[in-house]
Short mmCIF file of all heavy atoms in Angstrom, two decimals:
data_model
loop_
_atom_site.label_atom_id
_atom_site.label_comp_id
_atom_site.label_asym_id
_atom_site.label_seq_id
_atom_site.Cartn_x
_atom_site.Cartn_y
_atom_site.Cartn_z
N LEU A 1 109.74 171.64 41.76
CA LEU A 1 108.37 171.74 42.24
C LEU A 1 107.35 171.48 41.14
O LEU A 1 107.36 172.16 40.11
CB LEU A 1 108.13 173.15 42.81
CG LEU A 1 109.21 173.69 43.76
CD1 LEU A 1 108.89 175.13 44.15
CD2 LEU A 1 109.34 172.80 44.98
N ASP A 2 106.47 170.52 41.36
CA ASP A 2 105.36 170.30 40.43
C ASP A 2 104.39 171.47 40.46
O ASP A 2 103.78 171.82 39.45
CB ASP A 2 104.60 169.01 40.79
CG ASP A 2 105.26 167.78 40.19
OD1 ASP A 2 106.20 167.92 39.41
OD2 ASP A 2 104.81 166.67 40.53
N SER A 3 104.20 172.04 41.65
CA SER A 3 103.25 173.15 41.80
C SER A 3 103.88 174.25 42.64
O SER A 3 104.04 174.11 43.86
CB SER A 3 101.95 172.68 42.47
OG SER A 3 101.13 173.80 42.79
N ASN A 4 104.24 175.34 41.98
CA ASN A 4 104.78 176.50 42.67
C ASN A 4 103.85 176.99 43.78
O ASN A 4 104.27 177.12 44.94
CB ASN A 4 105.05 177.59 41.62
CG ASN A 4 105.66 178.86 42.20
OD1 ASN A 4 105.86 178.98 43.39
ND2 ASN A 4 105.94 179.81 41.32
N PRO A 5 102.57 177.25 43.52
CA PRO A 5 101.70 177.78 44.59
C PRO A 5 101.48 176.81 45.72
O PRO A 5 101.37 177.23 46.88
CB PRO A 5 100.39 178.12 43.86
CG PRO A 5 100.42 177.35 42.60
CD PRO A 5 101.85 177.24 42.22
N GLU A 6 101.39 175.51 45.45
CA GLU A 6 101.15 174.56 46.53
C GLU A 6 102.37 174.44 47.44
O GLU A 6 102.23 174.31 48.66
CB GLU A 6 100.74 173.19 45.97
CG GLU A 6 99.33 173.18 45.41
CD GLU A 6 98.87 171.79 45.02
OE1 GLU A 6 99.59 170.82 45.29
OE2 GLU A 6 97.78 171.69 44.42
N PHE A 7 103.58 174.48 46.86
CA PHE A 7 104.77 174.44 47.70
C PHE A 7 104.89 175.73 48.50
O PHE A 7 105.18 175.70 49.71
CB PHE A 7 106.03 174.22 46.87
CG PHE A 7 107.27 174.05 47.70
CD1 PHE A 7 107.58 172.82 48.25
CD2 PHE A 7 108.10 175.13 47.96
CE1 PHE A 7 108.71 172.66 49.04
CE2 PHE A 7 109.23 174.98 48.75
CZ PHE A 7 109.54 173.74 49.29
N THR A 8 104.67 176.86 47.84
CA THR A 8 104.69 178.14 48.54
C THR A 8 103.70 178.13 49.70
O THR A 8 104.01 178.59 50.81
CB THR A 8 104.35 179.29 47.58
OG1 THR A 8 105.32 179.32 46.53
CG2 THR A 8 104.33 180.64 48.29
N ALA A 9 102.52 177.60 49.46
CA ALA A 9 101.49 177.52 50.50
C ALA A 9 101.95 176.66 51.66
O ALA A 9 101.66 176.97 52.83
CB ALA A 9 100.20 176.97 49.91
N SER A 10 102.66 175.59 51.38
CA SER A 10 103.14 174.71 52.44
C SER A 10 104.17 175.42 53.32
O SER A 10 104.19 175.23 54.55
CB SER A 10 103.76 173.44 51.83
OG SER A 10 102.78 172.70 51.14
N VAL A 11 105.02 176.23 52.71
CA VAL A 11 105.98 177.03 53.49
C VAL A 11 105.22 178.04 54.36
O VAL A 11 105.50 178.20 55.55
CB VAL A 11 106.97 177.76 52.56
CG1 VAL A 11 107.91 178.65 53.38
CG2 VAL A 11 107.78 176.76 51.74
N ILE A 12 104.25 178.71 53.76
CA ILE A 12 103.48 179.72 54.48
C ILE A 12 102.76 179.12 55.68
O ILE A 12 102.70 179.71 56.76
CB ILE A 12 102.48 180.41 53.54
CG1 ILE A 12 103.22 181.28 52.53
CG2 ILE A 12 101.47 181.24 54.32
CD1 ILE A 12 102.34 181.83 51.43
N ALA A 13 102.21 177.92 55.51
CA ALA A 13 101.50 177.27 56.62
C ALA A 13 102.41 177.05 57.81
O ALA A 13 102.03 177.27 58.97
CB ALA A 13 100.89 175.95 56.14
N ALA A 14 103.64 176.64 57.55
CA ALA A 14 104.60 176.44 58.64
C ALA A 14 104.90 177.76 59.35
O ALA A 14 104.99 177.81 60.58
CB ALA A 14 105.89 175.81 58.10
N TYR A 15 105.03 178.82 58.57
CA TYR A 15 105.31 180.12 59.19
C TYR A 15 104.09 180.71 59.88
O TYR A 15 104.22 181.51 60.82
CB TYR A 15 105.92 181.08 58.16
CG TYR A 15 107.40 180.82 58.01
CD1 TYR A 15 107.88 180.01 56.99
CD2 TYR A 15 108.30 181.35 58.91
CE1 TYR A 15 109.24 179.73 56.88
CE2 TYR A 15 109.66 181.08 58.82
CZ TYR A 15 110.13 180.27 57.80
OH TYR A 15 111.46 179.99 57.72
N ALA A 16 102.91 180.31 59.45
CA ALA A 16 101.71 180.72 60.19
C ALA A 16 101.73 180.14 61.60
O ALA A 16 101.31 180.80 62.56
CB ALA A 16 100.46 180.26 59.44
N ARG A 17 102.22 178.93 61.73
CA ARG A 17 102.36 178.32 63.06
C ARG A 17 103.33 179.14 63.92
O ARG A 17 103.09 179.38 65.11
CB ARG A 17 102.85 176.88 62.94
CG ARG A 17 103.06 176.18 64.28
CD ARG A 17 103.55 174.75 64.12
NE ARG A 17 102.56 173.91 63.48
CZ ARG A 17 102.67 173.42 62.24
NH1 ARG A 17 103.74 173.70 61.50
NH2 ARG A 17 101.72 172.64 61.75
N ALA A 18 104.44 179.54 63.31
CA ALA A 18 105.43 180.35 64.05
C ALA A 18 104.83 181.68 64.48
O ALA A 18 105.04 182.14 65.62
CB ALA A 18 106.66 180.58 63.17
N VAL A 19 104.06 182.31 63.61
CA VAL A 19 103.42 183.58 63.94
C VAL A 19 102.44 183.39 65.11
O VAL A 19 102.37 184.22 66.03
CB VAL A 19 102.70 184.16 62.71
CG1 VAL A 19 101.71 185.26 63.10
CG2 VAL A 19 103.73 184.71 61.73
N TYR A 20 101.71 182.31 65.08
CA TYR A 20 100.77 181.99 66.16
C TYR A 20 101.51 181.87 67.49
O TYR A 20 101.09 182.44 68.52
CB TYR A 20 100.05 180.69 65.82
CG TYR A 20 99.12 180.17 66.88
CD1 TYR A 20 97.88 180.75 67.08
CD2 TYR A 20 99.47 179.07 67.67
CE1 TYR A 20 97.00 180.26 68.04
CE2 TYR A 20 98.62 178.57 68.63
CZ TYR A 20 97.37 179.17 68.82
OH TYR A 20 96.52 178.69 69.78
N LYS A 21 102.64 181.16 67.50
CA LYS A 21 103.41 181.00 68.73
C LYS A 21 103.97 182.34 69.22
O LYS A 21 103.92 182.65 70.41
CB LYS A 21 104.56 180.01 68.50
CG LYS A 21 104.12 178.57 68.24
CD LYS A 21 105.33 177.68 67.98
CE LYS A 21 104.93 176.25 67.70
NZ LYS A 21 106.10 175.37 67.41
N LEU A 22 104.49 183.13 68.30
CA LEU A 22 105.07 184.42 68.68
C LEU A 22 104.02 185.38 69.22
O LEU A 22 104.30 186.18 70.12
CB LEU A 22 105.77 185.05 67.47
CG LEU A 22 107.09 184.39 67.06
CD1 LEU A 22 107.53 184.91 65.69
CD2 LEU A 22 108.17 184.63 68.10
N SER A 23 102.81 185.29 68.66
CA SER A 23 101.76 186.19 69.14
C SER A 23 101.42 185.92 70.60
O SER A 23 101.11 186.84 71.35
CB SER A 23 100.51 186.06 68.26
OG SER A 23 99.85 184.82 68.47
N TYR A 24 101.52 184.65 71.00
CA TYR A 24 101.25 184.31 72.39
C TYR A 24 102.39 184.74 73.32
O TYR A 24 102.21 184.80 74.53
CB TYR A 24 100.98 182.81 72.54
CG TYR A 24 99.51 182.49 72.39
CD1 TYR A 24 98.96 182.24 71.14
CD2 TYR A 24 98.66 182.48 73.50
CE1 TYR A 24 97.60 181.98 70.99
CE2 TYR A 24 97.31 182.22 73.36
CZ TYR A 24 96.79 181.97 72.11
OH TYR A 24 95.44 181.72 71.96
N GLU A 25 103.54 185.01 72.74
CA GLU A 25 104.66 185.53 73.53
C GLU A 25 104.69 187.06 73.51
O GLU A 25 105.65 187.67 74.00
CB GLU A 25 105.98 184.99 72.97
CG GLU A 25 106.11 183.47 73.07
CD GLU A 25 107.37 182.96 72.41
OE1 GLU A 25 108.14 183.77 71.86
OE2 GLU A 25 107.59 181.73 72.44
N ASN A 26 103.64 187.66 72.91
CA ASN A 26 103.57 189.13 72.78
C ASN A 26 104.76 189.69 72.00
O ASN A 26 105.23 190.81 72.26
CB ASN A 26 103.47 189.82 74.14
CG ASN A 26 102.17 189.48 74.85
OD1 ASN A 26 101.15 189.26 74.22
ND2 ASN A 26 102.23 189.44 76.17
N SER A 27 105.24 188.91 71.04
CA SER A 27 106.33 189.38 70.16
C SER A 27 105.69 190.03 68.95
O SER A 27 105.50 189.41 67.90
CB SER A 27 107.22 188.20 69.75
OG SER A 27 108.28 188.63 68.93
N PHE A 28 105.33 191.30 69.10
CA PHE A 28 104.56 191.99 68.08
C PHE A 28 105.46 192.69 67.06
O PHE A 28 106.66 192.85 67.27
CB PHE A 28 103.63 193.01 68.74
CG PHE A 28 102.67 192.40 69.74
CD1 PHE A 28 102.46 192.99 70.98
CD2 PHE A 28 101.99 191.22 69.44
CE1 PHE A 28 101.59 192.43 71.90
CE2 PHE A 28 101.11 190.65 70.35
CZ PHE A 28 100.92 191.26 71.59
N GLY A 29 104.86 193.11 65.96
CA GLY A 29 105.60 193.75 64.89
C GLY A 29 105.85 192.79 63.75
O GLY A 29 105.33 191.67 63.72
N CYS A 30 106.64 193.24 62.79
CA CYS A 30 106.89 192.45 61.58
C CYS A 30 108.14 191.61 61.71
O CYS A 30 109.14 192.04 62.30
CB CYS A 30 106.99 193.38 60.37
SG CYS A 30 106.97 192.52 58.78
N LYS A 31 108.09 190.41 61.15
CA LYS A 31 109.22 189.49 61.13
C LYS A 31 109.48 189.05 59.69
O LYS A 31 108.64 189.18 58.81
CB LYS A 31 108.92 188.23 61.97
CG LYS A 31 108.19 188.47 63.27
CD LYS A 31 109.03 189.18 64.30
CE LYS A 31 108.23 189.39 65.60
NZ LYS A 31 108.97 190.18 66.59
N THR A 32 110.66 188.48 59.48
CA THR A 32 110.96 187.75 58.24
C THR A 32 111.43 186.35 58.62
O THR A 32 111.58 186.04 59.81
CB THR A 32 112.03 188.45 57.40
OG1 THR A 32 113.32 188.27 58.02
CG2 THR A 32 111.73 189.93 57.22
N VAL A 33 111.71 185.53 57.64
CA VAL A 33 112.17 184.17 57.92
C VAL A 33 113.48 184.18 58.71
O VAL A 33 113.78 183.21 59.43
CB VAL A 33 112.34 183.35 56.62
CG1 VAL A 33 111.01 183.17 55.93
CG2 VAL A 33 113.35 184.00 55.67
N PHE A 34 114.26 185.26 58.62
CA PHE A 34 115.51 185.33 59.37
C PHE A 34 115.29 185.42 60.87
O PHE A 34 116.18 185.13 61.65
CB PHE A 34 116.33 186.54 58.92
CG PHE A 34 116.77 186.50 57.48
CD1 PHE A 34 116.80 187.67 56.73
CD2 PHE A 34 117.16 185.33 56.88
CE1 PHE A 34 117.20 187.65 55.41
CE2 PHE A 34 117.56 185.29 55.55
CZ PHE A 34 117.59 186.46 54.81
N ASP A 35 114.13 185.85 61.27
CA ASP A 35 113.85 186.10 62.70
C ASP A 35 113.20 184.92 63.41
O ASP A 35 112.97 184.99 64.61
CB ASP A 35 112.91 187.31 62.82
CG ASP A 35 113.44 188.54 62.13
OD1 ASP A 35 114.61 188.88 62.37
OD2 ASP A 35 112.70 189.16 61.34
N ILE A 36 112.90 183.85 62.67
CA ILE A 36 112.13 182.74 63.22
C ILE A 36 113.03 181.56 63.56
O ILE A 36 113.73 181.02 62.68
CB ILE A 36 111.05 182.28 62.22
CG1 ILE A 36 110.19 183.46 61.77
CG2 ILE A 36 110.19 181.18 62.84
CD1 ILE A 36 109.47 184.19 62.87
N ALA A 37 113.02 181.15 64.82
CA ALA A 37 113.75 179.95 65.20
C ALA A 37 113.14 178.73 64.51
O ALA A 37 111.92 178.62 64.42
CB ALA A 37 113.69 179.76 66.72
N PRO A 38 113.96 177.81 64.00
CA PRO A 38 113.42 176.66 63.27
C PRO A 38 112.38 175.87 64.05
O PRO A 38 111.41 175.38 63.47
CB PRO A 38 114.67 175.82 62.97
CG PRO A 38 115.78 176.80 62.92
CD PRO A 38 115.44 177.84 63.95
N SER A 39 112.53 175.76 65.35
CA SER A 39 111.59 174.96 66.14
C SER A 39 110.18 175.56 66.13
O SER A 39 109.21 174.84 66.33
CB SER A 39 112.08 174.81 67.57
OG SER A 39 112.16 176.08 68.21
N TYR A 40 110.07 176.86 65.87
CA TYR A 40 108.76 177.51 65.85
C TYR A 40 107.94 177.08 64.63
O TYR A 40 106.72 177.27 64.61
CB TYR A 40 108.91 179.02 65.86
CG TYR A 40 109.14 179.61 67.23
CD1 TYR A 40 110.15 179.13 68.07
CD2 TYR A 40 108.34 180.64 67.72
CE1 TYR A 40 110.36 179.65 69.32
CE2 TYR A 40 108.54 181.19 68.98
CZ TYR A 40 109.56 180.68 69.77
OH TYR A 40 109.77 181.19 71.03
N LEU A 41 108.59 176.51 63.63
CA LEU A 41 107.87 176.06 62.44
C LEU A 41 107.19 174.72 62.65
O LEU A 41 106.27 174.36 61.91
CB LEU A 41 108.84 175.93 61.26
CG LEU A 41 109.63 177.17 60.88
CD1 LEU A 41 110.61 176.83 59.76
CD2 LEU A 41 108.70 178.29 60.44
N SER A 42 107.62 173.99 63.64
CA SER A 42 107.19 172.61 63.82
C SER A 42 106.07 172.48 64.84
O SER A 42 106.02 173.21 65.84
CB SER A 42 108.38 171.75 64.27
OG SER A 42 107.99 170.42 64.50
N ALA A 43 105.21 171.51 64.60
CA ALA A 43 104.18 171.16 65.58
C ALA A 43 104.73 170.23 66.65
O ALA A 43 104.06 169.98 67.66
CB ALA A 43 103.00 170.51 64.87
N LYS A 44 105.94 169.71 66.46
CA LYS A 44 106.56 168.81 67.44
C LYS A 44 107.12 169.61 68.61
O LYS A 44 107.48 170.78 68.49
CB LYS A 44 107.68 168.00 66.78
CG LYS A 44 107.22 166.99 65.75
CD LYS A 44 108.41 166.19 65.23
CE LYS A 44 107.97 165.03 64.34
NZ LYS A 44 107.36 165.49 63.08
N SER A 45 107.21 168.95 69.75
CA SER A 45 107.81 169.58 70.93
C SER A 45 109.33 169.63 70.76
O SER A 45 109.91 168.96 69.90
CB SER A 45 107.47 168.78 72.18
OG SER A 45 108.12 167.50 72.14
N ALA A 46 109.96 170.45 71.61
CA ALA A 46 111.42 170.54 71.58
C ALA A 46 112.05 169.18 71.85
O ALA A 46 113.06 168.80 71.23
CB ALA A 46 111.90 171.56 72.60
N GLU A 47 111.44 168.40 72.75
CA GLU A 47 111.98 167.07 73.07
C GLU A 47 111.89 166.14 71.86
O GLU A 47 112.84 165.40 71.55
CB GLU A 47 111.21 166.47 74.25
CG GLU A 47 111.42 167.16 75.59
CD GLU A 47 110.64 168.46 75.72
OE1 GLU A 47 109.74 168.71 74.87
OE2 GLU A 47 110.92 169.22 76.65
N GLU A 48 110.76 166.20 71.16
CA GLU A 48 110.60 165.36 69.97
C GLU A 48 111.58 165.74 68.88
O GLU A 48 112.14 164.88 68.20
CB GLU A 48 109.17 165.49 69.44
CG GLU A 48 108.11 164.82 70.29
CD GLU A 48 106.71 165.08 69.74
OE1 GLU A 48 106.33 166.26 69.60
OE2 GLU A 48 106.01 164.09 69.46
#
């Protein structure tokens, strides 16, 4: 990594998307990366 904080930030941004999706499913409480389905990190549809 050329930039530790910028790469860390890029990971966090993907997980922010997952948190957004889970909140709409009323999946409340705390999660870790182990609890997140990989597709929740992506802006692409399941078909894509």
Side-chain angles (χ1 to χ4, degrees):
L1 313 176
D2 276 353
S3 171
N4 182 358
E6 287 187 6
F7 185 83
T8 300
S10 296
V11 177
I12 290 172
Y15 279 96
R17 178 181 295 110
V19 164
Y20 176 76
K21 293 178 181 179
L22 287 168
S23 71
Y24 270 88
E25 296 176 359
N26 295 329
S27 181
F28 301 135
C30 191
K31 320 290 180 185
T32 74
V33 296
F34 297 143
D35 305 310
I36 307 301
S39 62
Y40 278 52
L41 303 176
S42 178
K44 292 183 172 67
S45 67
E47 292 77 13
E48 288 176 303

